[in-house]
């Protein structure tokens, strides 16, 4: 199999792929980038490992169900969005290999047979693989949100790429709900995005820059809490030493925010 790249994806707001009107239209550029992603891959992935900002556990925890359900981890949206289904199969054998790789790296791993796909996973996957015919395994973040640990878990998982597994980190390049809808997020989103655009492409020293992300311009305005940034660390760690490029970028998300996604490898 051909080695797969990795991605950090901005996943948008709530269940946007199942909505209409202005909120759906606000995601048009993001949707176009996600729809185009499969054609950019060297070959069709045999499976997807999804690291979502919306799952944190005491240990890195992997979803082991062969038929994952749905977790509607959002509020205030139309009733039909609490009935949507993304019926991708799981892959218990891949899940066990993920846990074994994490443990072999000296990091804590756990298994969860009941967890369903959260919206960080299914709202990203629905435009990418609408047929839901690629197996998906979801992996949690680890509480404490240590960037070095998440870079390390990415390094541990890098061998999966040679076996046709596409590693996706699903978060958001700007995630501060207090600033997102009132216009106050425009300037910090521009400043932090500019830092990402400069910090990510060159792999030389990238890990150190990411470990010190909180020192970047407007860092804590862009991420008052860093759970939506940590999937980036996993994607970058799994492609250490490889160049990165911006795969999605816009400057008017939700009326003025700058948002981006990145490809590694």
């Amino acid at each position: 199999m051909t080695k797969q790249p990795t991605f950090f994806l901005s996943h948008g707001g709530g269940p946007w792929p199942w909505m209409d009107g202005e909120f759906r239209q606000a995601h048009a550029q993001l949707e176009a980038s996600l729809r185009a992603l499969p054609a950019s891959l060297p070959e069709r992935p045999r499976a997807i490992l999804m690291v979502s900002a919306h799952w944190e556990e005491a240990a890195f925890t992997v979803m082991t169900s062969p038929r994952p359900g749905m977790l509607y981890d959002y509020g205030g949206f139309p009733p039909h969005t609490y009935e949507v289904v993304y019926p991708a199969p799981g892959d218990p054998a891949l899940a066990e290999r993920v846990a074994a790789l994490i443990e072999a790296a000296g990091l804590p791993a756990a298994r969860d047979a009941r967890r369903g796909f959260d919206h960080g996973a299914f709202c990203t996957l629905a435009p990418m693989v609408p047929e839901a015919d690629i197996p998906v395994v979801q992996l949690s973040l680890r509480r404490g949100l240590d960037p070095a640990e998440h870079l390390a878990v990415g390094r541990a998982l890098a061998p999966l790429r040679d076996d046709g597994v596409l590693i996706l980190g699903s978060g958001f390049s700007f995630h501060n709900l207090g600033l997102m809808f009132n216009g106050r997020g425009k300037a910090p989103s521009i400043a932090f995005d500019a830092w990402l655009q400069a910090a990510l492409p060159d792999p030389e020293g990238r890990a150190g820059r990411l470990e010190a992300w909180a020192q970047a311009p407007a860092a804590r305005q862009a991420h008052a809490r860093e759970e939506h940034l940590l999937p980036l660390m996993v994607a970058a760690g799994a492609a250490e030493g490889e160049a990165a490029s911006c795969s999605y970028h816009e400057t008017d998300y939700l009326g003025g925010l700058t948002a981006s996604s990145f490809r590694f490898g």
Side-chain angles (χ1 to χ4, degrees):
M1 286 188 170
T2 305
K3 187 176 188 176
Q4 291 287 349
T6 74
F7 286 83
F8 169 66
L9 302 174
S10 289
H11 63 228
W16 65 266
W18 286 271
M19 296 179 67
D20 297 311
E22 292 184 7
F23 191 70
R24 174 65 177 272
Q25 186 57 35
H27 292 80
Q29 291 187 57
L30 175 60
E31 182 169 12
S33 74
L34 292 171
R35 289 190 183 279
L37 192 154
S40 76
L41 300 176
E43 61 185 28
R44 178 181 167 88
R46 76 164 185 85
I48 292 171
L49 178 63
M50 170 65 71
V51 183
S52 170
H54 291 273
W55 188 15
E56 300 173 34
E57 296 289 352
F60 291 106
T61 303
V62 64
M63 178 191 297
T64 62
S65 172
R67 292 177 296 278
M70 300 288 285
L71 179 61
Y72 305 114
D73 56 336
Y74 41 74
F77 289 94
H80 77 272
T81 64
Y82 298 88
E83 299 175 358
V84 301
V85 175
Y86 187 75
D91 187 333
L94 173 59
E96 188 55 39
R97 187 174 179 210
V98 168
L101 286 169
I102 294 171
E103 290 169 338
L107 295 164
R111 294 125 175 109
D112 189 325
R114 296 189 296 175
R115 170 89 179 187
F117 296 129
D118 60 54
H119 83 269
F122 64 76
C123 289
T124 307
L125 292 168
M128 284 178 49
V129 192
E131 302 86 358
D133 58 353
I134 297 177
V136 178
V137 169
Q138 194 170 334
L139 176 68
S140 79
L141 303 177
R142 188 182 185 203
R143 289 179 196 151
L145 304 180
D146 181 352
E149 280 194 341
H150 289 78
L151 285 160
V153 84
R155 294 183 194 108
L157 297 171
L160 298 174
R161 297 171 56 202
D162 293 314
D163 294 333
V165 178
L166 178 64
I167 299 175
L168 301 177
S170 176
F172 215 96
S173 60
F174 177 91
H175 192 263
N176 184 334
L177 296 179
L179 303 180
M180 193 168 278
F181 302 104
N182 54 20
R184 292 165 54 211
K186 181 174 182 177
S189 74
I190 291 172
F192 189 70
D193 190 88
W195 179 81
L196 289 173
Q197 300 290 346
L200 296 181
D202 184 0
E204 185 68 30
R206 183 168 60 209
R209 292 190 292 272
L210 288 175
E211 287 185 28
W213 75 271
Q215 299 173 25
R220 282 299 178 185
Q221 290 174 282
H223 293 277
R225 189 175 186 274
E226 55 264 46
E227 81 287 343
H228 274 70
L229 189 65
L230 267 292
L232 166 63
M233 313 302 176
V234 182
E240 197 161 57
E242 298 178 58
S245 60
C246 184
S247 59
Y248 151 75
H249 178 75
E250 68 173 295
T251 58
D252 198 31
Y253 175 72
L254 291 181
L257 297 174
T258 294
S260 295
S261 298
F262 296 90
R263 171 182 173 138
F264 298 86

